[in-house]
Amino acid sequence: MWCAIILGGGSGSRMGCEKNKVLLDVCGRSMLCRSVAAFRPMTDEVVVVIREEDLAEARAQLAGAGLLDGVRFAPGGSTRQESVWHGLCALPGECDRVMVHDAARCLVDADTIRRVMDSVEQSGSGVAAVPCVDTIKQVDAQERVAATPDRLMLRSVQTPQGFETALLRRAHLSAQASGYLGTDDASLVERLGVQVQLTMGSRRNIKLTTPEDRLMAEALLKNQATDLPTLRVGQGYDVHRLVEGRKLILCGVEVPHTLGLLGHSDADVALHALMDAMLGAMALGDIGKHFPDTDERYRGISSILLLEKVVQLLRERHARVTSADVTIVAQKPKLLPYIPQMRQRVAEALALPVNRVNVKATTTERLGFEGEEQGISAQAVVMVQETAQPGA
Ligand code: MG
């Protein structure tokens, strides 16, 4: 069982305000909410360590963001180390792996967390770190340089820091027994003589300590736009030529007619527009890219089968169509009698209720290529919902 201890216990003195800094807003969401939102989908429970006087506001913020589920609280301590200990004491008994994270590193991303978790599972510990870009000087009490360690062998350590829970608990008890106060959890484990494994952190995983840090975080957030809504829209358009000697298939339904659509596959222009809309919503290009008409595998293939492949592509990206609207532009034949069957086929392929799928047909008053019966065109619009991504 994986848990995360999120430390929000510090005071806001360096941020230049009275309020606890982790409750401050960064681009519309508090640091605490951002940190909890990063860990909650990847762990079984989260323990938020927060000062008594901040508890009500922390709880209200998390409730407002829909993040209270699976979150418990522990009181902040007088040192960071004591706060972590309070968090450890609040963990559920089944928790055998734990990450400690500073709420002020609220830009932490899922990849960093995943690397830490993988490392703990492989070696018992995993600590996010990045190579040092600055040359570090060791100094004496008079600010004179005592040594210049080789930068290549130096790392800046971040959080999350992950451990087997029993190991971290033992490290804290040992530190308490000898009065040792460390600035991070790894140092307590190192004292036990246990090897601590570092993993790649992220340059964006900055700790927001000063007002300047907050400005930097806002710039990073605006740049990466992590708060984009999970709803996407896509549109598709396709045209096929009408010829003799081909079947007319629209939305997977064979429509009796003297002419049919010419194409490499079954030339189902309506489904092609629909698939392009789905791929468009996910920024995955178009069907020509995924099913090239030079590929013999797709010769004469039913477009319903291709649609199922596109549904699968979306599923792999944790996305699904939630509604679709298809317009077929054809002078002839009359399509109205076939519309219910078309909706049914599309709804089945998309695993949607029929009332989430619309198919409509129009003529062009004999204008243009559709009106002159040289071809049929189709347009489609879809709404796509991205669901929770494991690790996002
Ligand atoms: Mg086509």
Side-chain angles (χ1 to χ4, degrees), residues 238-240 269 272 287:
D238 196 24
V239 175
H240 280 261
V269 67
H272 291 186
I287 52 172

